[in-house]
Amino acid sequence: MEVPLISCMQRIVLYETTARFYIVGSNNNETRFRVLKIDRTEPRELNIHDDGIEYSQKEIRNLLQMIDAGNKPRQAQKPGQCGYIRTVSAFGIVGFVRFLEGYYILLITKRQKIALIGYHTVYKIEDTRMVYIPNDGVRKVNSDESRYVKMFLNIDLSSNFYFSYSYDLTHTLQYNLAPSCSGVGHSTSQREMVCTDQSKTSGCEKNRKTDVVLGVQHHPTYKYAWNTYLMEPFVEVVHPDWLMYITHGFITQSNIVVYGKSIYLTLIARRSNQFAGTRFLKRGANCEGEVANDVETEQIVHDASIMPLEKARITSFVQLRGSMPLYWSQDISKIMPKPMIGLDQPDPYAHVAGQHFGRVLSRYGAPIVILNLAKSKEKKKHEMIISEEFKNAVDYLNQFLASEHRIQYKSFDMARHVNKRTADVLARLAVIAEDCVKKTGFFHNKPTLYCNQLRTDKRFKGLTQNQFGGTTVQTGVVRTNCVDCLDRTNTAQFIIAKCALGFQLYSLGVLDSPDLQFNTDCARMLEEMYEDHGDTLALQYGGSQLVHRIESYRKMAPWTFHSRDIIQTVSRYYSNIISDADKQNAINLFLGLYQPHEDENPLWEITTDFYLHNVVAREGMTEQDHNYSQWWDVPVARCLPLPYDQVSKGTTGKHIVVKSSKDDERTSAFWDYYKPYELTSLEELYASHMQTTLRNSVSRSSTDLTQSSPFAVHSRASRRQDEMGKTIDPNPNVSGKDASLASDGSDSGSDSDRDADFDVSETSSDEPEEQEKKHIPLKDMFPTMEESYGVSIHNPDKHSIMVYKRYIQIGQNATRSPEDKHSVGSLRKTGTTLIRRSIFSLDSSEHVTPPTVNRKSKDFYAACIKTGQEGPQSPSMHSMAVYRDYVQKLRR
C-alpha cells in the first residue's frame, strides 16, 4: 500500500562552535536524530556534511558530549563551561542564501496550525531567523551586504507562507490521493529506497506484526515551491528528511456543523513563483508562457466523521486565475489612475498563449474553460485591446486541437452589467458558473452514495464524472481573469466556488439538492473566506485590499463602504507608484532571479528586470524550432481529458520510497496527528478552535430547530456589516502585516499554535419567554431510513425480543460476584446457570489464583533458566546412552 511519507525532522536545534555549526534534527517524540555539520572557516563557500546516520537519544547525547569536550578551551576549565553554544531552536530549514559575503541559513522559529487535511497538519510560518554562517575571523566585509540583507528581508516569511511535514501543498488533493501509474518500488526514477530499522522504532512499534507499506514522497511542483532556489545549495547533499518546501498564497479552514456532524471546508490558494511580481510591473506573460498573478485556488470539502483520507469521503474543486497570456503592459511613467494598455510585441501564432495553455492541459486536463471578465464595449478602447487579442489567440489555438478538447472561451462584461440598476450580476454569473462546473466536474475519492442513486438530481446528472483509479476526478479547469485579476475575478471565483460547494455537499449526502442559497450560514461563511482570500491576494499583488467586494456586486453594501473603497483605491495607487519597485526587487532577489556579484551592477541600479524574467531573451535563444500548429505535447494530448501529470505519476521526476510497517511514525499520520507520546487536552486541539457555523446558529434565538441548520435561509447582517462600527484593521491577511514589511526577528523557538477566531455570542430572544415552544417531530427534521438508505425500520417480533432479553440477562449475571447472596437468588429466578470453564479456583475478572505447579515443572523451568545464563550443561548418562543407540542405528 502506498501512503505519504512524513518527515522526521520536525524539531531542530542549532549548536555553534568557532569552527562549525551543528544542526541536530529530531522527530516529535525524540527517538530519531540526524546531524548536519556546516564548516564556518570558509568565507564564501558552503560546506555541508551529512553522515547519513540515524542516531538514538543515547547516541546523540554521547555525540554532543564529544563535541562539548573537544571544543572546551585548554586553559583551566570553569565548572559548567560548555564547548558549544545553543544558538536557536527551530521547526525547519527554509534554505541557504548568499549575497556578496558568506552564506546565511534561514530557519523557521515559530509556527501556527492553520488547517487539517485528514490527519495531516498544515502550518503557517509565524517567524524566522537568518543566521550568518562564517565566523568573524574569516568574514570579508562588503559595504553593499547590509543593503541586500534588508532587501531580502522585505519578503516577510511570516506573511502567508505555509508548509506541512506530511502533506504536499504544491500538489492538488486529486494528485496526492491518486495512485502511481506503476509500482513505485520498481520505478527507475526513484531517488533512494530506505528500509525500516526495527531497532530504531519506538516501544509502541516493537513486536507488532503489521502489513508492510510504502511511504512515498513525490517531487513537488516547483512552480509553487517558493524556496526552491534557497534549497539548491544542499538539496543534493543531505538526507531527504531535511528538505521542506514552502508555499505562498492563502490558506483558511472552517467547520460546517450539520446537527453535530462536522464538514471541514478548506481553501488553499497557491501563488506561482514564475513571473511573480507587483501589479503594474508584471503584466501579461513572459517568453515562456508564465503569466502574472497566477494563483491556483483549491476548495476541499471533507466529511470529518472519519479522519484518515484513505477511508474518509473527501472532495475538491480547483480553479485558476491569471493575467491574459499576451505580451502587454501599462505605461506607468505618467502619473494617472489608469495607465494606458498597450501590446508590447505582436504574436500572430499565439506562441506565448500556446505555451501557457499547454502547461494548463498537462496539469488539469481538458476542457479549459476561460471566463474573461474584461470590458467588451468601450467608447475608447482600453481593456478591449487585450480582450480582442486574447480571443483571437484562443481561436487560433483551437484550430489544431481536437473538437472535444478545445478551449472554451466565455466573455462577460461584469463592469458594464453592474452599472445597470435592474441587472443582477451575481445571478448571471451563477448561470455561467453552473455551466463551467458541469464541464469540469470535481474530485471525489469514493463512489456515489446510495441515497443519491435513489433520488437523482437532474443538475447532478449533467455533471461530468470521469473516472480514474476508482475515483471521480476533475478534468479541466475554470480559468478566470479580468485586467488585474483581483476584484472582479475574486467575485466570479466565489460564485463558481459556491456552485461547486453545492455539488460537493450533495455528493457527500449532506444536501438533498446541489442548490446552495445565498442567505445561509454556509454560504455566508464561504463568502467571508473568499473575501479574506481576495484581500490577501490583492495585498500581495496590488498593494491593498479588494476595492470592490462581493457585497458591492450584490448591491447590499451600506453607504459607508464607499469611503472605504476610496481609501483602498488611494492605498493601491500609492503602493503601485511608491513601493512596487522595492517589492519587485525583493521578489527577484528572494527567488534567485538576480544573484549578486561584485563585478556586476547592483540590483537597485538595474533599470528593468525584463531579462531576469525572460530566459529566452537573456540567453539569446531562438524560437525557430517552435511548431506553430502543434502547440501541445504529444503525451499530454494522448491522456486527455485526464491530466497528464496525474496519469504519469510515479514515472517522471525523482521520488523517495521508504519500506516500513503501517504503524511506523514515518508512514502513519495517526502518530503525527494525535501525538500519543505527549500529554494533550481537547481544548488544545486545533479542531476545538476552528471557525464554525455554530457561532451564528447559537447566537440566533428561535423555537424552530430547523433554523439551526447551516443551510437554512436567514436575513442577518454579514460579518462586514457587523464590523462597520468597529475599527477595521486595514490589513486582512493572517499575519496582520503587509507582505513587503520585514520580520521582527523574534528568537522564540516555541510552537505558537494560537487559537483561531471563535466567537460565540449570546443574544436575548426577541420573543417573550412565556410563549410556548412548538414541538417539532423528528420526521419533519430528518429523512426516514427508507428515504436515505432504502431500508425501512419495523418493530421486532416476539422471538427477537425474547432473544434480546435473554442476552441482557446473561450479561447482567456474568458481571455479578458469586459471593453475592442476592445475585444467587436472582440467578435461580432467571434460570441462568454459568458453568466455569477455567482451571483457576476463583473465576473473577478482578482476582485470579494461579494454578499449582508441581516439582517436576519447577525443576525443568530452573534448568532452562540456568542454561540461558550459563550455557548448555553436560548431558546425563541416560541421554548419552540414547544418543549412542541412535548413532549405531544410523551406521547400520
Side-chain angles (χ1 to χ4, degrees):
M1 185 175 67
E2 178 183 339
V3 296
L5 184 62
I6 303 173
S7 174
C8 289
M9 300 298 103
Q10 300 188 19
R11 296 183 182 275
I12 292 174
V13 179
L14 180 67
Y15 296 97
E16 176 186 351
T17 66
T18 305
R20 290 183 181 88
F21 272 133
Y22 294 91
I23 303 178
V24 179
S26 71
N27 56 353
N28 277 320
N29 57 344
E30 297 184 353
T31 57
R32 303 173 186 267
F33 294 84
R34 292 187 182 275
V35 178
L36 291 180
K37 291 187 290 186
I38 304 177
D39 188 6
R40 301 189 64 199
T41 60
E42 287 289 340
R44 291 184 58 83
E45 300 301 323
L46 180 64
N47 293 330
I48 303 178
H49 177 68
D50 183 3
D51 55 15
I53 300 175
E54 187 177 283
Y55 297 91
S56 64
Q57 194 174 51
K58 182 179 179 181
E59 292 170 342
I60 201 67
R61 287 177 180 173
N62 294 335
L63 179 61
L64 291 176
Q65 289 176 1
M66 292 173 57
I67 296 173
D68 181 22
N71 288 275
K72 284 184 177 180
R74 295 183 179 180
Q75 293 82 6
Q77 299 181 1
K78 298 179 181 179
Q81 186 177 5
C82 191
Y84 57 79
I85 301 174
R86 179 168 175 161
T87 305
V88 63
S89 299
F91 298 102
I93 302 175
V94 178
F96 297 82
V97 64
R98 183 183 68 182
F99 307 116
L100 296 175
E101 297 180 7
Y103 273 92
Y104 297 84
I105 181 173
L106 203 58
L107 301 172
I108 300 172
T109 57
K110 192 179 292 186
R111 65 186 181 183
Q112 176 189 355
K113 291 181 181 179
I114 200 70
L116 293 173
I117 304 177
Y119 281 145
H120 307 283
T121 304
V122 179
Y123 296 94
K124 176 183 175 292
I125 299 177
E126 284 292 303
D127 201 3
T128 59
R129 183 172 177 182
M130 193 163 69
V131 180
Y132 188 67
I133 294 178
N135 57 42
D136 295 336
V138 299
R139 182 170 187 174
K140 297 181 180 179
V141 180
N142 191 292
S143 58
D144 291 334
E145 179 76 7
S146 59
R147 186 166 182 178
Y148 277 116
V149 172
K150 184 178 180 180
M151 184 182 297
F152 182 85
L153 292 177
N154 279 341
I155 301 298
D156 184 13
L157 289 176
S158 65
S159 178
N160 308 116
F161 282 87
Y162 308 90
F163 70 95
S164 176
Y165 298 110
S166 57
Y167 186 82
D168 191 350
L169 290 173
T170 65
H171 287 297
T172 62
L173 178 73
Q174 177 173 312
Y175 181 93
N176 288 333
L177 296 186
S180 299
C181 64
S182 61
V184 291
H186 306 285
S187 175
T188 58
S189 62
Q190 67 187 41
R191 178 171 175 174
E192 64 173 290
M193 170 71 81
V194 186
C195 295
T196 302
D197 184 0
Q198 295 296 335
S199 63
K200 302 286 186 181
T201 55
S202 61
C204 294
E205 297 176 80
K206 293 180 180 179
N207 302 324
R208 183 180 295 178
K209 297 181 180 179
T210 54
D211 299 333
V212 175
V213 296
L214 295 178
V216 183
Q217 179 181 341
H218 293 276
H219 65 94
T221 303
Y222 297 104
K223 176 180 180 180
Y224 298 114
W226 276 66
N227 61 332
T228 303
Y229 165 70
L230 302 177
M231 295 176 67
E232 286 180 0
F234 79 114
V235 68
E236 296 294 339
V237 297
V238 300
H239 191 274
D241 276 349
W242 294 101
L243 306 181
M244 184 178 66
Y245 294 93
I246 63 175
T247 61
H248 183 40
F250 176 75
I251 297 180
T252 186
Q253 189 174 49
S254 298
N255 184 7
I256 305 173
V257 182
V258 187
Y259 296 112
K261 185 185 183 72
S262 293
I263 306 293
Y264 288 174
L265 174 60
T266 311
L267 208 61
I268 302 177
R270 307 175 180 92
R271 180 173 291 280
S272 171
N273 58 26
Q274 302 296 309
F275 204 52
T278 54
R279 183 186 177 201
F280 284 129
L281 298 180
K282 287 293 165 285
R283 293 293 211 188
N286 61 6
C287 297
E288 298 176 355
E290 301 290 354
V291 298
N293 199 17
D294 187 1
V295 181
E296 174 188 271
T297 301
E298 183 176 16
Q299 177 176 292
I300 301 175
V301 182
H302 174 209
D303 184 353
S305 303
I306 303 176
M307 290 299 292
L309 295 182
E310 61 273 11
K311 298 179 181 179
R313 284 190 173 271
I314 187 167
T315 67
S316 71
F317 176 77
V318 180
Q319 52 182 323
L320 199 62
R321 72 165 67 183
S323 187
M324 300 184 200
L326 307 168
Y327 291 120
W328 68 277
S329 62
Q330 288 180 275
D331 184 12
I332 58 174
S333 59
K334 299 179 181 180
I335 300 179
M336 54 193 327
K338 288 187 177 181
M340 292 300 299
I341 294 177
L343 295 173
D344 296 337
Q345 65 184 66
D347 190 10
Y349 301 105
H351 171 56
V352 173
Q355 286 184 303
H356 173 72
F357 288 117
R359 294 190 184 94
V360 175
L361 284 176
S362 178
R363 182 171 175 84
Y364 307 103
I368 301 173
V369 183
I370 298 173
L371 179 56
N372 185 11
L373 304 174
K375 296 179 180 179
S376 58
K377 290 184 179 180
E378 293 176 303
K379 295 181 179 179
K380 183 180 180 181
K381 286 189 176 182
H382 182 66
E383 297 182 8
M384 286 179 60
I385 298 174
I386 51 177
S387 288
E388 293 174 353
E389 188 70 16
F390 189 25
K391 180 65 168 60
N392 294 335
V394 172
D395 292 341
Y396 175 83
L397 297 176
N398 276 336
Q399 297 179 85
F400 313 105
L401 200 61
S403 58
E404 64 272 17
H405 304 316
R406 287 180 179 174
I407 303 172
Q408 302 185 23
Y409 182 90
K410 296 178 181 293
S411 178
F412 179 65
D413 192 340
M414 193 168 174
R416 181 166 170 263
H417 281 79
V418 77
N419 292 329
K420 297 180 180 179
R421 293 183 179 180
T422 58
D424 191 348
V425 180
L426 299 191
R428 294 284 299 272
L429 277 175
V431 176
I432 299 174
E434 182 173 345
D435 181 59
C436 294
V437 173
K438 285 184 176 180
K439 289 178 178 178
T440 63
F442 61 90
F443 169 72
H444 189 185
N445 68 330
K446 296 293 182 182
T448 305
L449 288 171
Y450 182 71
C451 61
N452 290 340
Q453 297 177 7
L454 289 177
R455 50 182 187 192
T456 56
D457 188 87
K458 293 182 180 179
R459 297 171 60 190
F460 191 77
K461 267 182 119 178
L463 195 71
T464 301
Q465 300 187 45
N466 291 309
Q467 302 293 321
F468 179 79
T471 61
T472 303
V473 297
Q474 176 179 344
T475 53
V477 69
V478 183
R479 186 190 188 278
T480 310
N481 72 269
C482 51
V483 176
D484 297 326
C485 300
L486 295 178
D487 302 343
R488 287 173 283 180
T489 297
N490 193 72
T491 301
Q493 284 196 326
F494 161 70
I495 298 300
I496 296 172
K498 174 178 167 294
C499 177
L501 179 60
F503 283 106
Q504 289 175 284
L505 293 172
Y506 177 81
S507 67
L508 294 177
V510 179
L511 289 178
D512 58 355
S513 171
D515 185 20
L516 183 63
Q517 298 296 325
F518 256 111
N519 294 323
T520 61
D521 292 340
C522 180
R524 195 172 287 117
M525 173 178 285
L526 182 69
E527 180 180 344
E528 293 172 1
M529 294 172 70
Y530 265 88
E531 282 193 347
D532 293 339
H533 165 266
D535 284 336
T536 304
L537 298 182
L539 271 168
Q540 295 168 5
Y541 181 67
S544 73
Q545 295 181 353
L546 293 172
V547 174
H548 303 293
R549 317 188 74 83
I550 299 173
E551 290 181 344
S552 302
Y553 291 103
R554 291 184 67 184
K555 299 182 179 179
M556 296 179 60
W559 64 270
T560 50
F561 265 55
H562 295 295
S563 60
R564 178 199 166 280
D565 292 347
I566 295 174
I567 295 174
Q568 294 301 327
T569 303
V570 174
S571 174
R572 182 176 297 183
Y573 182 75
Y574 170 81
S575 176
N576 299 153
I577 298 300
I578 305 299
S579 61
D580 272 9
D582 294 335
K583 291 171 64 177
Q584 186 64 58
N585 287 338
I587 292 173
N588 295 338
L589 186 64
F590 184 86
L591 296 177
L593 299 173
Y594 175 85
Q595 301 179 18
H597 295 282
E598 294 181 354
D599 54 349
E600 294 182 359
N601 292 332
L603 180 58
W604 49 86
E605 291 183 4
I606 298 178
T607 57
T608 177
D609 64 351
F610 174 81
Y611 295 101
L612 301 179
H613 290 268
N614 293 270
V615 181
V616 176
R618 181 173 72 242
E619 299 181 358
M621 300 169 60
T622 61
E623 304 174 9
Q624 296 178 357
D625 297 334
H626 175 66
N627 193 324
Y628 294 107
S629 59
Q630 186 179 313
W631 51 271
W632 66 89
D633 294 332
V634 175
V636 174
R638 289 174 180 171
C639 294
L640 295 178
L642 297 174
Y644 172 76
D645 290 359
Q646 180 178 337
V647 174
S648 62
K649 180 182 179 181
T651 61
T652 59
K654 296 180 181 179
H655 56 271
I656 305 157
V657 181
V658 172
K659 187 178 180 181
S660 177
S661 66
K662 66 178 182 179
D663 292 331
D664 190 348
E665 61 177 336
R666 294 178 295 177
T667 55
S668 175
F670 176 89
W671 283 77
D672 187 59
Y673 177 75
Y674 283 106
K675 295 180 174 59
Y677 42 82
E678 292 182 1
L679 179 62
T680 57
S681 61
L682 293 177
E683 291 79 7
E684 296 175 356
L685 296 179
Y686 171 74
S688 302
H689 304 280
M690 192 184 302
Q691 186 179 6
T692 173
T693 53
L694 283 178
R695 64 174 188 169
N696 296 330
S697 59
V698 171
S699 60
R700 185 182 302 112
S701 176
S702 175
T703 58
D704 189 357
L705 295 180
T706 58
Q707 294 300 308
S708 62
S709 169
F711 312 114
V713 179
H714 305 290
S715 57
R716 192 185 68 86
S718 67
R719 179 190 67 176
R720 299 288 177 180
Q721 293 176 353
D722 291 340
E723 294 176 352
M724 286 308 299
K726 305 176 183 179
T727 303
I728 300 178
D729 189 351
N731 194 329
N733 59 10
V734 181
S735 67
K737 292 184 285 186
D738 187 71
S740 63
L741 298 179
S743 173
D744 294 334
S746 174
D747 296 342
S748 174
S750 62
D751 193 352
S752 176
D753 294 336
R754 285 181 277 181
D755 301 339
D757 294 334
F758 184 75
D759 182 18
V760 181
S761 58
E762 297 182 358
T763 58
S764 59
S765 174
D766 296 334
E767 300 179 1
E769 296 181 358
E770 294 79 6
Q771 183 178 355
E772 295 183 0
K773 296 184 178 180
K774 182 181 178 182
H775 175 69
I776 302 175
L778 290 178
K779 64 180 181 180
D780 294 341
M781 296 178 57
F782 304 100
T784 62
M785 181 73 74
E786 186 174 7
E787 293 175 350
S788 300
Y789 304 103
V791 178
S792 58
I793 299 178
H794 302 285
N795 293 328
D797 54 17
K798 293 183 178 180
H799 177 71
S800 298
I801 293 178
M802 291 178 62
V803 172
Y804 177 72
K805 289 182 177 179
R806 182 69 172 172
Y807 172 77
I808 295 298
Q809 290 173 359
I810 293 175
Q812 292 176 348
N813 295 332
T815 57
R816 291 170 181 165
S817 175
E819 288 77 8
D820 189 0
K821 297 180 180 180
H822 299 285
S823 64
V824 175
S826 61
L827 287 173
R828 292 173 180 174
K829 290 180 182 180
T830 56
T832 303
T833 303
L834 300 179
I835 302 174
R836 292 179 178 175
R837 299 295 184 184
S838 174
I839 64 174
F840 301 116
S841 59
L842 179 62
D843 190 4
S844 172
S845 60
E846 299 178 357
H847 304 283
V848 176
T849 302
T852 304
V853 182
N854 56 29
R855 183 69 180 176
K856 183 178 179 181
S857 299
K858 291 181 179 180
D859 293 342
F860 180 77
Y861 178 75
C864 292
I865 296 298
K866 185 177 181 180
T867 302
Q869 293 176 348
E870 303 177 1
Q873 306 296 322
S874 300
S876 63
M877 298 298 293
H878 176 71
S879 299
M880 291 297 295
V882 173
Y883 178 72
R884 292 192 190 97
D885 293 341
Y886 174 74
V887 173
Q888 290 177 1
K889 289 180 181 179
L890 291 177
R891 290 178 178 177
R892 294 174 186 171

